[in-house]
Amino acid sequence: MAQLVLGPVLRHVDLSSATVWVETDAACEVAIAGHRAETFQVGEQHFALVVVEGLEPGTTTPYDVRLDGDVVWPPPDSPFPAPSIRTTPVRRLLFGSCRAAKGEGTPDKLGPDALDAYALRMKDEPQERWPEALVLLGDQVYADEPTPRVKRWLAERRPEPAGEVVSFREYAELYHESWADPEIRWLMSVVPTSMIFDDHDVRDDWNTSHTWREQMATKRWWPERIRAGLASYWVYQHLGNLSPDELATDELYAKVRSTGGDVQELLEDFAERADREVDGGKSTRWSYRRDFGRVRLLVIDTRSGRILAGPRRLMVGDGEFAWIEENARGDFDHLLVGSSLPWLMPHALSHFQSLNERMAGLPGWRGRVGEKVRQVADLEHWPAFRASFERMARLLERISGGEGAPGTVCVLSGDVHHSYAARATFASSAGAAGSVRAKVYQLVCSPVHNEPPWVFRPAFRLSWSKPIARVLRWWADRRGISPDPVAWQKLSGPHFGNSVGVLEIDGRAARFRLETATDEGLEEVTALTL
C-alpha cells in the first residue's frame, strides 16, 4: 500500500478552487475532497497535485488524504485541528524568509522557529483568527548548508563531492527534513502557501554575477546540481504557485502527466534550459501573480531571471519586467510585490551596492577587486542592479499615483537576516491638493529560523546611519551614479531574531505587525498602521 511521505500542502486557493500537493512512496491515485489525481514519478519518488474545484465562496471544507482509497492523513492521534480549505477573503497574510531546518541538538542552536511558534498558537485559536495566506520569500532549504544529519546521509551515499547536495533525490531530502516538522506540516495543510526561491535554495550567492557563473561552471558537479536544483524547485515549490487555469495550459505539466513513467530527465532538461541566458532573456518565467479578492500578490524571481552577460546587469530581463509592469496594473485595493531581496535597503548599503556595481564593471584590477567585494559581501540586491532598481521605482511611482491607485503598495522581502519597515516617497508625491496616492512601503521579515554571524547586528545598525549614508551618496555622485529616483524613511527596525511578518487587511486600510519568537511563544515587536 502506498504511503504519504510529505504533505498535504495547501497551495493555490481562490473563491471556488484549491490545489493540494503531496509526495508518496509509490505510484497511486490521490483523492482529496472528492477530487482525484494520479501521481507522477521523478526518479525514486512520486508526487501529485490535486485540483479541487466547485467550492463555494466563503466556506470551509474539511478534507483528508486518501491513497488508492485508504485514508492516510490526518493521523488519528494528531493534536492539531483537521485540515480544511477556506475560500474566504484574505484578511491576514503571513510572510517571511530564511527558514533553516532544525538540527539534532536540543535546544535548537538557531533559537525558536517563528513559524512553529505561530502554528502552536494558531491551533488553539478559532479559525476566524487564522491567516488566509502564507508567503515564503526564499531559502526554504539550505542546499549549501546541510545539517550534520544530512551530511552523514550524503557521505553514506557517495564519497564525492563531500557535503554537496547534487542530485534530485538529495535536494528532496532537504525538503523532507524541513517540511516534515509537525508544526510546519500542519500549518501548510491549512494555510494556502505561495513560494519563491532565493540563493540558498540552490547555492549561496547563486547568480551573483557573470563571473560567479563562470567560476561555478569549472566545478564538475555543478551542471548536475543546477539541473537537480531547478527541477526539484519546480516540483516542490513552483508547481503549486500556479492556478488551475494556468495548470491546464502549462505544456511542461501536461508532458509530466502524460508521460506515464519517470520524468526526471524531462524535468532536468527543462531546468538546464531555464538556467541559460539567451539573447538577454530566459526561457522560463518563475515570477507569478495571485489575486486574493481585492488583494494582488505579484511575486518576482530575483535569482534565476537575472541577466548578467550583457552590457547591463539586470535583476530580471526586459521581457520579464514588461510582464511585471503589465500585471502590476489592475483594479485592486492593495498591491503586494513579493521580492526575496529587498528593493529598499538601509541607505548606506544601498549607495555602497550601487558604487560596487560600478567598480565591478571596470576593466583591470579595479574590476577584479570590485567583483571580489561583491561576492564576499553579498552585494547583489536591487541597488546592485541599478537599472532595475530605478525601473522598479518608476513602476511603483506610476502605480501609486493617479486614478484607480490602490490603498497601499507593499514590497514584501526577506534575505537580509534582520527585519524593518520603510516608507517610500517620490517627487510626484507632492501632487495637486486633494490628489490621492497610494502609500508605498518596504516591509522586510528575515529570518524565520536562522542565526546570522554576530557581526551582522552592528553592521546593519550602522548601515542606517545618516552621516555614513551622506558620505556614500556624495561618493556615488562623484562616480556619476544617478540620483535616487525615490526617497525612503525607516519606520521601524532594525529588528533581530526569528520572526514572522503579519499583514492585516481591512478594506483599503492595512496594518503591519512583526512578531518575534521567544522561548515562551511570540512577542510583538512592532505594529504600524499603513
Side-chain angles (χ1 to χ4, degrees):
M1 183 179 76
Q3 300 293 321
L4 188 66
V5 174
L6 203 58
V9 182
L10 187 58
R11 297 304 311 273
H12 191 285
V13 176
D14 56 31
L15 294 180
S16 62
S17 68
T19 62
V20 185
W21 178 97
V22 298
E23 179 182 347
T24 66
D25 68 350
C28 61
E29 180 190 73
V30 182
I32 293 173
H35 293 73
R36 294 168 173 79
E38 298 292 332
T39 57
F40 59 89
Q41 180 183 354
V42 185
E44 310 166 35
Q45 297 156 269
H46 302 265
F47 306 89
L49 188 70
V50 181
V51 178
V52 180
E53 297 181 295
L55 300 173
E56 291 294 326
T59 61
T60 298
T61 304
Y63 73 91
D64 56 28
V65 179
R66 303 178 183 224
L67 305 184
D68 289 334
D70 296 317
V71 177
V72 297
W73 192 269
D77 57 349
S78 174
F80 296 97
S84 60
I85 302 168
R86 292 169 295 145
T87 56
T88 53
V90 171
R91 297 164 300 177
R92 186 176 289 107
L93 177 145
L94 306 184
F95 71 96
S97 80
C98 309
R99 182 177 177 270
K102 297 178 179 62
E104 295 173 312
T106 303
D108 189 347
K109 293 181 179 179
L110 299 179
D113 185 320
L115 276 183
D116 272 6
Y118 202 98
L120 289 172
R121 186 178 72 188
M122 226 177 94
K123 78 180 182 68
D124 296 322
E125 295 179 328
Q127 282 194 3
E128 293 74 22
R129 293 185 57 82
W130 291 4
E132 291 83 17
L134 169 63
V135 182
L136 299 175
L137 293 165
D139 295 344
Q140 304 313 305
V141 294
Y142 279 71
D144 52 318
E145 299 177 14
T147 62
R149 186 199 68 79
V150 171
K151 287 182 179 179
R152 290 194 299 271
W153 180 80
L154 290 170
E156 292 170 359
R157 285 174 60 87
R158 50 166 173 74
E160 296 293 337
E164 293 287 353
V165 174
V166 175
S167 70
F168 185 97
R169 175 64 187 87
E170 291 164 3
Y171 267 98
E173 189 66 18
L174 302 178
Y175 287 100
H176 293 173
E177 184 178 54
S178 181
W179 289 4
D181 175 345
E183 293 83 5
I184 298 304
R185 193 168 186 176
W186 174 74
L187 178 69
M188 294 170 73
S189 75
V190 296
V191 180
T193 305
S194 307
M195 307 176 185
I196 193 67
F197 44 39
D198 200 15
D199 55 344
H200 292 286
D201 292 86
V202 174
R203 171 80 180 188
D204 187 28
D205 298 339
W206 176 33
N207 281 349
T208 297
S209 63
H210 184 62
T211 300
W212 184 92
R213 286 177 65 91
E214 290 178 327
Q215 292 168 348
M216 293 306 299
T218 65
K219 301 183 185 296
R220 58 184 177 83
W221 46 265
W222 176 251
E224 183 181 0
R225 181 181 182 126
I226 189 63
R227 282 166 59 92
L230 288 179
S232 62
Y233 173 77
W234 186 88
V235 171
Y236 282 90
Q237 298 196 52
H238 180 70
L239 191 57
N241 291 328
L242 305 180
S243 70
D245 288 344
E246 290 169 321
L247 289 169
T249 60
D250 188 276
E251 293 182 4
L252 179 61
Y253 186 51
K255 289 180 182 178
V256 164
R257 296 184 68 193
S258 64
T259 295
D262 185 357
V263 298
Q264 182 168 343
E265 185 174 357
L266 170 68
L267 290 179
E268 292 187 352
D269 287 346
F270 157 78
E272 184 176 340
R273 293 191 301 273
D275 181 55
R276 295 178 191 150
E277 180 180 329
V278 179
D279 297 329
K282 295 288 182 73
S283 64
T284 300
R285 189 187 72 236
W286 301 105
S287 302
Y288 61 94
R289 187 189 105 187
R290 292 187 68 169
D291 287 335
F292 304 109
R294 299 287 300 168
V295 178
R296 174 162 296 177
L297 172 66
L298 189 59
V299 180
I300 300 174
D301 162 22
T302 58
R303 281 290 171 186
S304 185
R306 295 178 177 185
I307 303 302
L308 303 168
R312 295 184 304 158
R313 302 173 194 246
L314 299 175
M315 187 65 86
V316 294
D318 289 332
E320 185 161 345
F321 214 118
W323 179 90
I324 293 167
E325 290 169 330
E326 175 65 26
N327 283 274
R329 296 196 294 266
D331 180 20
F332 39 77
D333 291 333
H334 302 274
L335 174 64
L336 311 180
V337 179
S339 167
S340 63
L341 304 176
W343 167 56
L344 298 178
M345 301 284 291
H347 296 88
L349 267 179
S350 182
H351 303 327
F352 187 61
Q353 293 207 27
S354 295
L355 280 162
N356 174 260
E357 180 193 26
R358 179 64 58 87
M359 183 175 182
L362 295 174
W365 67 267
R366 291 179 296 175
R368 291 192 296 273
V369 169
E371 175 63 32
K372 184 68 173 178
V373 172
R374 184 181 182 94
Q375 293 191 29
V376 170
D378 289 342
L379 306 180
E380 48 167 341
H381 299 80
W382 283 89
F385 296 82
R386 187 72 189 185
S388 298
F389 171 80
E390 295 185 358
R391 187 169 180 177
M392 178 60 74
R394 293 193 297 270
L395 168 63
L396 298 188
E397 183 177 17
R398 290 196 303 271
I399 295 301
S400 65
E403 186 177 353
T408 67
V409 177
C410 299
V411 181
L412 310 181
S413 303
D415 178 74
V416 291
H417 286 205
H418 73 293
S419 303
Y420 60 91
R423 170 82 185 274
T425 55
F426 304 94
S428 60
S429 295
S435 64
V436 177
R437 296 195 63 92
K439 297 177 181 178
V440 180
Y441 297 93
Q442 171 72 73
L443 306 176
V444 177
C445 178
S446 167
V448 168
H449 182 241
N450 210 327
E451 180 61 39
W454 68 268
V455 73
F456 276 40
R457 297 196 178 204
F460 282 126
R461 288 192 177 100
L462 282 172
S463 66
W464 286 104
S465 164
K466 291 182 179 179
I468 295 175
R470 282 195 291 268
V471 169
L472 288 170
R473 183 61 253 185
W474 171 84
W475 190 9
D477 292 339
R478 293 286 300 270
R479 293 294 180 270
I481 295 172
S482 56
D484 291 324
V486 56
W488 63 103
Q489 177 184 7
K490 176 170 66 70
L491 302 178
S492 183
H495 303 288
F496 300 95
N498 296 331
S499 304
V500 61
V502 185
L503 194 63
E504 297 173 331
I505 306 294
D506 183 10
R508 289 178 61 84
R511 184 174 174 83
F512 168 66
R513 292 188 293 109
L514 185 73
E515 300 194 43
T516 298
T518 69
D519 291 336
E520 289 73 39
L522 287 167
E523 175 185 343
E524 183 178 285
V525 295
T526 193
L528 301 170
T529 299
L530 304 182

